[in-house]
Every structure is written in structure tokens, then in C-alpha cells.
């Protein structure tokens, strides 16, 4: 892209990317598997209040958290074996949402009484939901995040809420240009000079790759690095629509590149819309070094809190507050070269949203 | 009613019952009489901010809490004898709301200067307001709650706010089917099997009665019950439009029924809309047993806090949050036999609201 | 004005004065000069989020607090000399808002990249902004408040937010009729009898003057007054559109009037809209007596907290909550003689708003 000669988009168009209708034909993470157990867990996903639990056989279940009788939240009720009993009048639903018991009156079950149910699949330590067209359900479309449960890696996972549209976080993660400013302190990234990125697109997947040949060891990796003062270093980002991001960063002896004996780490970032303006942010960091080193654990735990929450999410929340007023303020938005992958991501999502709107 | 063969109503219709225009030609409780005194009390009733006080002769007064000069709340002012002086510029109004003194300029009183005033009647320990057509004012239409100040009974009264439409609480109180679930712990109601109810309608009053013949003593009453292990037990609910409920529960020796020598209690429940989405809940419990027993006082004080606030009001508030989104969520609401009286109540209120709309 | 014979305005018209479009061709105070320094200060003015700082040469700068790249607040960034660097991606803007550095990609600066900038003038200890038509910029139109930095006076300045439209405070300050009621306690004003005011209008300035001849010394001034038990006393208010008020109150030996040897004080009141419904209130009190008396400082510090915040602003906030519902409540507003100057002020502002709307 020639640097910014022509603005690709007007302010209105750029802003519309933060209020695009939810993409429904997609897999979203609703929680880490460890969060779903015997207790009822309630979480709003794509604007819908859901309740989650695990059956005695170990299956994770997702039902709409609203009783069709009086609209009481189902998570105020209780488990009866694998069924869910409403805490208000005792209507009982099975794990597929069918009403199986009415303790009131003659006990006849109202014909339409049911809780909407959504398929959940557990993979890579997370529970994935499909809220789209049932005819398109296909769990082979969940992208590969197998590094999360790779026994040769140490993975540290977490979760927090962001008071902003999920695209603010997706764009943030697709754009490394912010690292040396927003994370100057937390990442020790002040001195990094960015190399040109290579972008690739494959259907609903976008790749953004950078290779730094023969550079000094990045400070964060230093203690665990190959011998020698200089290394090759890369950052390969993969986005799968609409909001699954894998960031593979690694280092090898100078001159050996991505195929050399390497220390590396995978960042996994799952951004699930809670509402148009709020987002569940699930993240994991999986490293192949310092596996048993508590100091290394501490380092990445602190990084997640500082960089992902206090810096990235904080700025996303501040931006969200400006979105509804930006046009009235007369702000003429501009794009930079670092937005290149984010622009492509948005083009794909516009196309997907249009296709879903047409089918609906 | 045949159990649920035909849904009586669509979801939209059922939801509309929680946003029905206020019924104005009706008596509402604005407070316990003990709350109205020399001090100015402010409370919003049917969406209108009101100020209450008691004259030197003991009359309770209700005026709109908004000065017609600059809109300052009148409750920030002060009493001048039986008059009310605005705290901002000193306009003074008598207890009927007429402006009687202007301390500004030449002192002439603006011709239209007045506070709207509403009739208050005190009865059964409470202050009742009439905000409807003055031509229809008739305090003989206040239903009988004389048990509240019956000297042979011990009455415990209270008040709290509910962040939900008043009909959520009315339906809750007309429906005993929830007791064994929502109040399973607080009421020791786990083991109760419901009997069929008998419903009656008389104008704008609905009755819902249940008699349990020859059953074991309910635990809550046991220490105060007639001798013998088994009793007759009844629960007779009376609703007067739009939101006055009396629940008469009693017990007599098995075989003697409602006419036997009885221990009994009246629950009084006054639900007064503050706004469409918030409700003043005034309640009293009047018993003819354990009159001087502080443990019995404690029991019912705790019951009021637990069952009426932490359970009933809590679930009403949770439902309120689902009302605006239920249709978008695609919830198809169902009705159960326990809703029978509530449905009748809603039919009467629909008719009353339509009649008031026609007159307006 | 004949006292209230004819209501000058309907309720709807009176209420519209609290939601009038902002007057843009006017000077507003954004802060005391001492608040603007090396650190970035963010404040919303006329609905626009702005960031303020002072250059190394001492110039106060006002820029829109929204980066045109991704809408991040500029106040999360940092100073680079006299420039401002966005904390997200490092775009750098000079003190006039022009983008001067892009650290991303090839470094080309997007042609439209800029922060809107507004002229600031510092005078009388305050920073004044011009957000109107640049062609009309003329700092000679800032009214005289030179008493604030008069070395022969002691000035005590402060600032707080009011959760109400700025006109509520303007009307409050133009109307002395409220003093003996709202400030009965804080002002020791209980016994004051008001004299008739003289009103004058000169373009976009309104004067409201009162002279009390040969009266007992007001308690607040007593220790610092001319000798003798009786004084002449005056209160001269000057309003400059849209929201700059000077209140000159003084006292001289009985019979000598405003030209006598006097103790006097100037109240300066700058009401700057933050939004339609919230206001920055900057105030200063400048006296020519008790200059070095800490007890006198304490007295006026307490007066500012009590009278300006706990009384005036509190009642303005209470009124603001009634504004959106007053018509639905059926309140028929009335005007009093004490509103006379406020009515004139509103007429001028209506005319100015209409003129600005025509030009736009």
C-alpha cells in the first residue's frame, strides 16, 4: 500500500466497523473449560444471556438463561441431575433445553416450553459455541490452537471484560505498530524498530508476518535464548474470522530463521462480543522455555495484567467512549500503514456480515 | 382452565402487562402513617414527585414536589405553620397547594401559582392517595384491611423498593405455585403439595382460595397451633385492583375448617408504582398468636426480609432486566396453571386501562 | 415590570432556555491559569473533549483530545518538547494541531491528519477559549475582571462541577431574591429586606444594581467596615453574554454612596458548559479588606463551599432533574419580579442563538 496517499475510508465508514452486526456463523469462545462445572455459570454472548454447566457425563451445556414462563434467570435455579430447574416455579429442562417436568397443576408440559440451546465444543482448553445456522455447524472450522494444550509448553490463561466493541481489540492485536508506544514500559519495547510486514489472505484467515534477521536478543527472551548475542526474530500473526488471533513470536540463532532451533511462544487471543459495546477477552500464553521457572510465570502473568488489561483494554475503552461522538466532533479519521492487516480484516467481516444479512 | 392446551397470550401481549399505563382511578398507599409527620417526606408515586407532611391539626397532605417558579423541589424548603415555603425564593403554599405568599417584589401572587394537590386518606395505619378523576373520589372503595389495626393482633409492617414494574410483584403474590421453589429454604415449604385453587371474581376483586383438609401442621405455625398433630389449613388470597393484596392463612383442628377455632394471620401487600419500572412495596403481617412473643416477632421480621425482599423482590428485579429484551431473544413465553389468578387480574386491569384511556 | 400581570412565557418556552444550543461566538473560561502546566489536562468544553498544556515558552494550548487515527484520547499520550505524541501509535502533533511526525511505516504524514486547535488567551488569572467563528476572534471582547489580579486585593479562587445546564447558575447569580431564603444560614441574610433593582442593558451586557441607603452594617462586613453603625450598601451585578458575571458589593459611610471611602468585594463567576446538562463553575472572590487576615480567608473559603456549592449548585442540580419531566407533570411555570434580569439575559441569548443558527 502506498503510504496513505488515498484515505481508504471515510470517518463514517471506519466508525461503522465498531457497530457491525454480530457475525453469527462463527465459533466463539465462551470460557475456559475449567470455568464450566457443576455450578451454574452465566455469561452474555452476542447479546444473549446464557447459562452454562457440565453434565455428569462431562458434557458442557449452553442454554438461554431465561425461563419461558416468567423470564426468571435460569442461573438462579438449580441442577436436578443433568437437568436445570427454574428457581421460581420449578419448570425443569433437560440439557438440550426441552421442558421435561412441570410441577404445577396437572403437570402437563406446555407444548412450546423450551430453552434455546446452542452447541458447545471443547477444544484447546476452551469451550466454543456455535450460535449460527445449524446447517453450517462444523467443528473442523475451529482454527488450530493446539499449542495451548501442548504438554511441552507452559500455558498461562486468563480472562477479563473490555468495555468496548470487540473490533477495537482485534485491530489492536493485528497491529504491532502500537507496541513501541503503548507498551513502551511494560514490554521494554522502547528501542524496537519495526520491519515491513508481509500480509497474506486465505479465505477468512489473514496472516501478518515479520522477520527480523540478525538482531540483538530482545530483552524479554534473553535468559532463555540460543547462545550468542544476536538472533533472528519473528512475529507471525494469524487472524481467523471474526475474532480469533494467534501470535507466534520466536527466536533462533542469527542466520537460521524460523527453521532454526528456537525458543518461541504463542499468544492466543479470543475476543467474544458480550454486547455491541462490551467484550469477553480470553487469552493464553504458551511458551517452550522456562517451563518450570516460577519467575517466568510471574513475568507473563504480570505482562497479561499490564499489557493486555491496563494498556490495550484501557485504550480500547477510552476509544469506545469517543466512537459515538467522533463525527459530531468533526474528527476526520486517517489510516496508517500499521492498519493494513486490520483493514483487510474489516473487509472480510463486511463481506461476511453482508452475506449473513442477505440470508436472514 | 384446561392445562395449557392453548396459550392464552403471545409473548408480546404478556410483556405488555409490565408496561401498562398507570391505573389512575384507584387508591394507592404512599406510606405508613407513622412515616408522615412534621418533617417533609418526598416520594415519587405513579411517576410524580410528591411531598408529604402532616398539618398541626393532624391532617396528612400530599403536594407535587415541584415549585412552579423555578422547579426547585419543595421538600428542600420548610414548613411555615401548615404552609410550605419553597427553599429557593420563598414562595409559600397552603396545604391545598394554593400560593398564599410571595416575598419577592411587590408581593403580588402570580394567578396560576399553585402546587397540584392530591387527597390523602389515612386508614389501617397507612396513608392512601387518590390521583384519579376527582369526581370519582370515594374512600369507601378502599378495601378492608382492618386486621392491620385490630388490637387483638400483632402487626409487623415494613417497606422497601423493588426495581421492577409493580405487576411483577402482584403476579408473584397471586401465585402460590412459586412458594415451594423460591421460598423452599425460607418458608420451610419444601414438602408442601399444592391443592387445587378456587378462583372467584367480583367486579375488580379476585379471590383465590385453597383449603388443605386434615394435613400435618405446617412447621411455621406449629408452636401456636391447635392441639393434635393434624389440622385443616387454608390460604385465601384477595386482590383489589390494581395492586392491593390480602393473604389470609389459617389453621384449625382437622375437620373443623375455616369456621373452627383458629390461629391465623393476614398478609397485607400494597404495591405502589414509583415509575413504570420501580415499585414501593409496603407490607404488614398481622397474627392472632404469639402476640407477646419476641421470638415470633423475630421470625416474621426475618421472613419479611428474606422472602419478600431477598427472594420475591430479587427475582422480580431479575425478570425486569429481561423484559426489554425477551422478544429480541426469541423467547416464546408460556403460561402455567399457577398463573390462573394472575391472568384474570391482568384482564381486569386491561379493561380498566382501556376505559381510562377512552375517558382521557 | 408590572408584577406578574401577564406571564411572559409559557412553560415550554421557559424550559427551552435550559437546552438552548451553545453560543459559540463567545469567550469561555476553561481553567485557572495555574491549572495549565507541563502535565496534560483534559476537560470537556461545549461538549468537546479538549486537552490543555503549556509550551516551554509559556503559551497555553488547547487541542481536541481525540487522535484522528484511532480516536485514542491524546491526554493518554505525552509531551515531546512542545509537541503532543499520541500514546497509542505515536503520531505527533504540534501546538497548533498539525501532524508533524508519523513513526509508522515510511513515515509519510497523512494529509488530513490534524487535531483541531482553539485559541486560548490568558487574562485575569484564567485561560479563555474562543470556539466560535475565527473571523470574529477579538480578545478585547473579554470583559474586565481586572480586580482578580489587582495587587491591592486578596483573591480566593475555586472550581467545581455542576450537574446542570449553565443557565441554571446564570439565572441564580442574576437574581438576588433567593439570597434571603437559600442562603439564610450561610449568608446571615435572614433579615435583609430587598430594595428595588435598577436594570440596564448595553448590547450583550446586562446590569442589575441595588443601593441601600443608610442601613445597619451587614454582619459579614462588620469588622472591616467604615466607622459608625450605619452605612450605605450596594450590590451591582454585571452579566456579559453568555455566562460571565461580576458581582460588586460594597459599603461606605451612610450618605456617601458608591463614591465614599469604601470596603468592597468583587465576585467573579464564570459558567462554562461542559455538556448541555453539566457545567464548569469557576469563581473568585476579590476583597480590599482583611487582606492578610487568615480568618477572613477562612470565612470566604467556607462561603464558597457552602453558598456556591452546597446551596446554589445543589438546587441547580435538583432543578435539572425536574426539567425533562416538568411538562408531563403539568407544572405551569410562573415568573416573579426577581427574574427580571434573568428574563432579559435569556432574551439576549435567544437572539444570539438565532443569529448563530442563521449563519450556520
Amino acid at each position: 500500500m502506498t503510504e496513505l496517499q488515498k484515505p481508504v475510508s471515510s470517518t463514517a465508514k471506519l466508525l461503522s466497523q465498531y457497530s457491525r452486526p454480530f457475525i453469527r456463523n462463527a465459533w466463539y469462545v465462551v470460557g475456559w473449560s475449567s470455568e464450566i462445572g457443576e455450578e451454574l455459570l452465566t455469561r452474555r454472548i452476542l447479546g444473549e444471556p446464557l447459562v452454562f454447566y457440565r453434565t455428569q457425563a462431562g458434557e458442557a451445556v449452553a442454554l438461554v438463561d431465561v425461563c419461558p414462563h416468567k423470564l426468571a434467570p435460569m442461573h438462579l435455579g438449580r441442577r436436578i441431575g443433568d437437568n436445570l430447574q427454574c428457581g421460581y416455579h420449578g419448570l425443569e429442562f433437560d440439557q438440550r433445553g426441552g421442558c421435561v417436568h412441570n410441577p404445577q397443576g396437572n403437570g402437563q408440559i406446555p407444548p412450546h416450553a423450551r430453552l434455546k440451546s446452542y452447541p458447545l465444543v471443547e477444544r484447546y482448553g476452551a469451550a466454543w459455541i456455535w450460535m449460527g445456522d445449524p446447517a453450517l455447524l462444523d467443528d473442523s472450522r475451529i482454527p488450530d490452537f493446539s499449542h495451548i494444550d501442548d504438554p511441552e509448553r507452559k500455558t498461562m490463561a486468563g480472562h477479563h471484560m473490555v468495555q468496548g466493541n470487540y473490533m477495537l481489540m482485534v485491530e489492536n492485536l493485528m497491529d504491532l505498530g502500537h507496541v513501541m508506544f503503548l507498551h513502551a514500559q511494560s514490554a521494554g519495547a522502547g528501542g524496537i524498530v519495526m520491519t515491513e510486514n508481509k500480509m497474506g489472505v486465505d479465505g477468512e484467515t489473514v496472516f501478518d508476518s515479520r522477520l527480523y534477521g540478525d538482531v540483538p536478543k530482545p530483552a524479554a527472551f534473553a535468559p532463555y535464548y540460543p547462545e550468542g548475542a544476536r538472533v533472528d526474530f519473528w512475529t507471525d500473526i494469524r487472524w481467523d474470522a471474526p475474532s480469533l488471533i494467534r501470535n507466534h513470536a520466536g527466536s533462533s540463532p542469527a542466520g537460521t530463521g524460523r527453521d532454526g532451533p528456537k525458543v518461541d511462544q504463542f499468544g492466543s487471543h479470543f475476543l467474544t462480543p458480550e454486547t455491541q459495546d462490551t467484550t469477553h477477552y480470553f487469552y493464553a500464553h504458551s511458551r517452550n522455555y522456562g517451563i518450570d521457572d516460577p519467575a517466568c510465570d510471574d513475568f507473563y502473568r504480570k505482562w497479561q495484567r499490564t499489557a493486555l488489561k491496563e494498556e490495550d483494554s484501557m485504550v480500547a475503552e477510552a476509544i469506545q467512549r469517543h466512537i459515538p461522538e467522533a463525527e459530531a466532533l468533526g474528527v476526520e479519521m486517517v489510516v496508517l500503514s500499521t492498519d493494513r492487516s486490520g483493514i483487510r480484516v474489516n473487509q472480510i467481516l463486511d463481506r461476511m456480515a453482508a452475506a449473513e444479512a442477505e440470508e436472514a
Side-chain angles (χ1 to χ4, degrees), chain A:
Chain A
M1 181 173 73
T2 308
E3 180 77 358
L4 303 165
Q5 295 296 16
K6 322 175 192 170
V8 292
S9 268
S10 70
T11 295
K13 170 67 182 159
L14 289 168
L15 291 171
S16 72
Q17 297 170 349
Y18 307 117
S19 57
R20 185 187 285 119
F22 298 130
I23 305 296
R24 295 195 71 90
N25 290 325
W27 289 96
Y28 292 95
V29 168
V30 300
W32 295 110
S33 284
S34 58
E35 295 181 291
I36 301 178
E38 199 175 335
E39 299 285 301
L40 301 172
L41 171 71
T42 180
R43 218 160 247 178
R44 188 174 287 266
I45 307 290
L46 304 194
E48 298 190 25
L50 303 180
V51 58
F52 303 95
Y53 63 95
R54 190 176 295 285
T55 66
Q56 289 157 316
E59 186 190 349
V61 168
L63 300 169
V64 167
D65 192 22
V66 182
C67 180
H69 174 220
K70 287 287 179 186
L71 308 182
M74 292 302 298
H75 75 269
L76 298 178
R78 63 182 184 126
R79 299 278 303 274
I80 306 282
D82 284 348
N83 294 338
L84 185 54
Q85 183 191 64
C86 180
Y88 197 7
H89 293 87
L91 275 192
E92 204 173 313
F93 302 86
D94 68 19
Q95 67 199 72
R96 297 287 166 261
C99 185
V100 293
H101 181 56
N102 169 16
Q104 304 289 337
N106 70 8
Q108 191 171 330
I109 291 172
H112 298 290
R114 62 183 302 280
L115 300 176
K116 196 168 179 182
S117 151
Y118 290 109
L120 279 188
V121 167
E122 292 187 273
R123 195 164 298 167
Y124 312 132
W128 304 73
I129 198 167
W130 179 264
M131 296 174 77
D133 182 350
L136 302 178
L137 175 70
D138 172 8
D139 67 1
S140 74
R141 290 177 57 197
I142 298 176
D144 176 35
F145 285 89
S146 57
H147 52 269
I148 292 178
D149 45 17
D150 177 349
E152 314 236 319
R153 292 184 179 272
K154 175 69 172 279
T155 289
M156 309 197 64
H159 168 230
H160 66 253
M161 299 302 304
V162 183
Q163 303 299 310
N165 180 269
Y166 76 106
M167 285 306 299
L168 293 168
M169 295 307 299
V170 169
E171 291 181 349
N172 170 287
L173 287 155
M174 293 305 290
D175 137 42
L176 290 183
H178 76 276
V179 173
M180 72 192 95
F181 297 96
L182 187 58
H183 307 310
Q185 302 303 317
S186 58
I192 292 179
V193 176
M194 301 289 289
T195 62
E196 190 64 18
N197 63 331
K198 283 179 53 180
M199 192 173 72
V201 178
D202 177 11
E204 298 171 356
T205 301
V206 170
F207 302 93
D208 181 297
S209 307
R210 279 182 175 80
L211 182 65
Y212 303 76
D214 196 14
V215 296
K217 287 182 188 174
F221 292 74
Y224 307 102
Y225 260 38
E227 292 197 0
R230 300 184 70 80
V231 294
D232 291 345
F233 175 75
W234 65 89
T235 307
D236 296 340
I237 300 177
R238 185 195 73 196
W239 167 85
D240 289 283
S243 53
L244 306 172
I245 291 166
R246 189 186 73 178
N247 182 336
H248 181 210
S251 179
S252 60
T256 64
R258 289 184 178 86
D259 296 326
K262 59 181 172 274
V263 294
D264 68 351
Q265 54 191 323
F266 287 94
S268 307
H269 304 271
F270 308 135
L271 285 313
T272 304
E274 183 194 47
T275 67
Q276 274 288 3
D277 298 337
T278 58
T279 300
H280 300 276
Y281 184 4
F282 301 96
Y283 46 83
H285 182 272
S286 307
R287 66 187 195 260
N288 77 346
Y289 54 91
I291 303 280
D292 300 314
D293 180 356
C296 200
D297 288 358
D298 288 348
F299 178 86
Y300 287 108
R301 202 176 284 121
K302 188 180 168 205
W303 160 263
Q304 289 172 335
R305 193 187 65 237
T306 306
L308 306 190
K309 188 167 198 296
E310 296 170 10
E311 294 170 346
D312 287 329
S313 301
M314 176 279 292
V315 85
E317 295 178 348
I319 290 171
Q320 178 70 45
R321 292 189 286 271
H322 284 159
I323 289 173
E325 66 179 351
E327 285 198 272
L329 291 172
V331 176
E332 282 189 67
M333 291 178 76
V334 299
V335 294
L336 302 182
S337 62
T338 192
D339 305 328
R340 196 178 159 202
S341 296
I343 289 168
R344 203 60 198 263
V345 158
N346 273 301
Q347 288 168 343
I348 294 171
L349 291 176
D350 282 344
R351 202 180 62 216
M352 290 174 74
E356 290 197 3
E358 205 162 297
E359 283 158 27

